[in-house]
Amino acid sequence: PGAATRAILSVTCEALGWDLGAYWRFDRDRNLLECTEVCAVGRNVSGELEGGLRSSTRGFGKGLPGLVWSSGETQFGSGLDAGGDAGRGRRAPGEPLRGAVAFPVLFGERFLGVMELYTWRVERPDEDLRQMFAAIGRQFGQYLQRKRAEEEVRKARDVAQAASLAKSTFLASMSHELRTPLNSVIGFANVLLKNKGGGLTETDRKHLDRILENGKHLLGLINQVLDLSKIEAGRADLSLARVDLRALVEETVALTQGQTEGKDLTLCADLPEPVASFETDGEKLRQVLINLVGNAIKFTEHGSVTVRLIADADGRAERIEVLDTGIGIPRDRLESIFDAFQQADAGTSRRYGGTGLGLTISRSLCEQMGYRLEVESEAGKGSTFRIEFLRPREVLGRTLAPGEGRAKVND
């Protein structure tokens, strides 16, 4: 923090009426003091003196800075030759600086360096001055340590971000490379299952069904990894358009209805009438809803799953809720389920399957759209996932005509 150090030297000199300030940083690797910053306030201080001080070094017990290092205490001296530093006086003959003081810069007990001040006055040692300079040294040491810590955190963050970007780029490339041949495997399995030649036995068909099922499962995992890598790499762009949220919810319920087969489960939509038009990324919001509804169905054997759209008195959408009567989530896992590859517990993963990426992707997409995804749940009593529209997109103030602004849904 060079600029800040110079500013502190300048303020200290001006406040105390000293003409020249210098900071000597302790270099632990070379075991010496190096003058890294010089600040001249007085008009009679020459540039030659400033240049001579900058980047010069002092050893243990050498010159006024070295005496401070060796003693650990504030030291007073007379002018540029203070502390036996005659070479400095020879390099700047005629400088009017007569008084000198140097004091340690500390962080706790750790020695960071020395601050040195000069003035044209003859300053005599004084206990009050010693205590004041010691306090300045401690304050300056705390500041330097905080700045160093901030710099280390910044560097660590930059390294982590670079590593995360490299990982996301790798995953995106790998996912594309895996997805292409896997689509071919799925396609050929579908062709063979048609059994146009009639040569497949029942065992052959079962094997092909297994290939097809596992291929689709693996493709879903690859697509999720690809989605997550795009989000982390900042490549998931928004495509905003007017969307009929009622239609979007109805279509999501229709798309996921088949997942309820074989369960004592009711899937329904609870929709207000009317709802004003809403600008959002319909595809990404649909992706989030499909994931939330799919999870609710997966973890609910009996009862109901309800998708509820809530609007204010003027028909402006406020949030969408997905409520279920399923197994619920333990209170201590309510936040961790949004982490990548996490589920409520290991038993849940073994029993119900899944990758643990869906909620991570859903929350990231919601945040990208300016929304918040939250959950309320109690183990054994079901869960409520809530998409809060924190920054509602453009509301046109009128209801949509039938079919107008309908979010596109792929077959």
Side-chain angles (χ1 to χ4, degrees):
T5 301
R6 285 193 298 275
I8 290 174
L9 285 172
S10 175
V11 169
T12 302
C13 287
E14 290 177 353
L16 301 178
W18 294 68
D19 298 274
L20 177 69
Y23 175 64
W24 298 78
R25 181 179 61 86
F26 177 45
D27 188 327
R28 280 177 170 74
D29 294 332
R30 295 190 293 167
N31 196 36
L32 52 76
L33 291 168
E34 180 181 11
C35 184
T36 56
E37 297 296 338
V38 180
C39 177
V41 176
R43 295 186 229 171
N44 296 324
V45 178
S46 69
E48 182 182 357
L49 176 58
E50 287 189 65
L53 279 173
R54 200 180 305 276
S55 299
S56 60
T57 59
R58 294 293 180 270
F60 187 77
K62 303 298 183 182
L64 203 60
L67 288 176
V68 172
W69 179 12
S70 63
S71 68
E73 298 177 350
T74 300
Q75 298 289 335
F76 287 84
S78 301
L80 294 172
D81 293 337
D85 204 350
R88 190 157 51 175
R90 287 194 300 270
R91 284 195 300 273
E95 289 289 348
L97 302 175
R98 299 175 183 176
V101 65
F103 49 91
V105 176
L106 305 171
F107 180 70
E109 298 299 320
R110 186 182 181 190
F111 178 66
L112 302 180
V114 174
M115 184 178 284
E116 187 180 31
L117 306 176
Y118 285 91
T119 179
W120 60 269
R121 303 184 306 274
V122 175
E123 290 287 345
R124 301 188 183 280
D126 178 275
E127 186 58 30
D128 290 339
L129 279 178
R130 288 182 187 277
Q131 292 182 9
M132 180 186 67
F133 287 129
I136 293 174
R138 287 192 297 269
Q139 292 288 334
F140 188 38
Q142 291 176 8
Y143 165 80
L144 289 178
Q145 192 65 19
R146 185 176 72 252
K147 285 298 182 182
R148 289 178 183 177
E150 290 173 357
E151 181 66 15
E152 290 173 1
V153 169
R154 186 191 64 78
K155 289 180 179 179
R157 182 194 63 215
D158 291 346
V159 170
Q161 288 177 343
S164 178
L165 180 60
K167 179 204 69 176
S168 298
T169 302
F170 168 74
L171 288 175
S173 300
M174 180 195 70
S175 299
H176 280 298
E177 293 298 322
L178 288 174
R179 192 162 58 171
T180 300
L182 190 56
N183 277 323
S184 297
V185 171
I186 293 172
F188 282 122
N190 274 318
V191 171
L192 291 172
L193 277 170
K194 293 179 180 178
N195 198 18
K196 290 186 176 180
L200 293 179
T201 66
E202 188 62 28
T203 300
D204 293 333
R205 292 183 63 86
K206 287 181 179 179
H207 289 165
L208 285 171
D209 281 332
R210 188 171 300 175
I211 291 172
L212 186 61
E213 180 181 349
N214 289 333
K216 288 180 177 179
H217 174 74
L218 183 56
L219 183 61
L221 173 59
I222 290 172
N223 286 336
Q224 285 189 325
V225 171
L226 184 58
D227 286 340
L228 185 60
S229 65
K230 283 182 177 179
I231 293 170
E232 290 181 340
R235 297 203 302 256
D237 297 328
L238 291 178
S239 179
L240 299 178
R242 287 180 300 172
V243 173
D244 181 349
L245 290 181
R246 284 176 52 90
L248 182 62
V249 171
E250 289 172 344
E251 289 161 351
T252 301
V253 169
L255 283 168
T256 53
Q257 190 71 51
Q259 299 177 33
T260 66
E261 293 182 6
K263 292 188 173 187
D264 180 21
L265 182 63
T266 300
L267 173 62
C268 62
D270 181 3
L271 305 172
E273 182 71 42
V275 179
S277 60
F278 190 79
E279 188 177 62
T280 187
D281 188 318
E283 290 299 312
K284 287 185 173 58
L285 184 55
R286 181 175 70 93
Q287 181 179 349
V288 173
L289 283 175
I290 288 175
N291 180 69
L292 295 180
V293 176
N295 277 354
I297 295 172
K298 181 195 297 186
F299 297 117
T300 305
E301 294 296 332
H302 308 282
S304 64
V305 173
T306 303
V307 187
R308 177 180 297 159
L309 173 60
I310 297 176
D312 63 15
D314 296 322
R316 292 190 292 261
E318 293 183 341
R319 62 185 179 274
I320 297 177
E321 297 178 342
V322 178
L323 307 89
D324 66 63
T325 58
I327 62 174
I329 304 164
R331 186 177 300 274
D332 61 348
R333 300 288 293 171
L334 287 178
E335 277 303 312
S336 61
I337 60 171
F338 292 102
D339 296 335
F341 305 106
Q342 295 293 318
Q343 291 190 348
D345 54 51
T348 300
S349 179
R350 288 192 297 268
R351 180 179 176 186
Y352 295 96
T355 63
L357 285 175
L359 288 176
T360 305
I361 294 170
S362 296
R363 173 168 275 188
S364 297
L365 289 175
C366 283
E367 290 175 349
Q368 185 185 20
M369 291 185 286
Y371 311 146
R372 184 170 62 217
L373 178 59
E374 297 179 331
V375 60
E376 292 180 3
S377 185
E378 186 175 345
K381 294 187 178 181
S383 305
T384 299
F385 284 84
R386 183 178 298 109
I387 303 172
E388 296 277 1
F389 300 132
L390 296 180
R391 297 196 300 271
R393 305 297 181 182
E394 180 185 4
V395 178
L396 302 182
R398 60 179 181 85
T399 56
L400 292 168
E404 179 188 2
R406 184 177 296 270
K408 179 182 178 183
V409 179
N410 296 328
D411 295 330

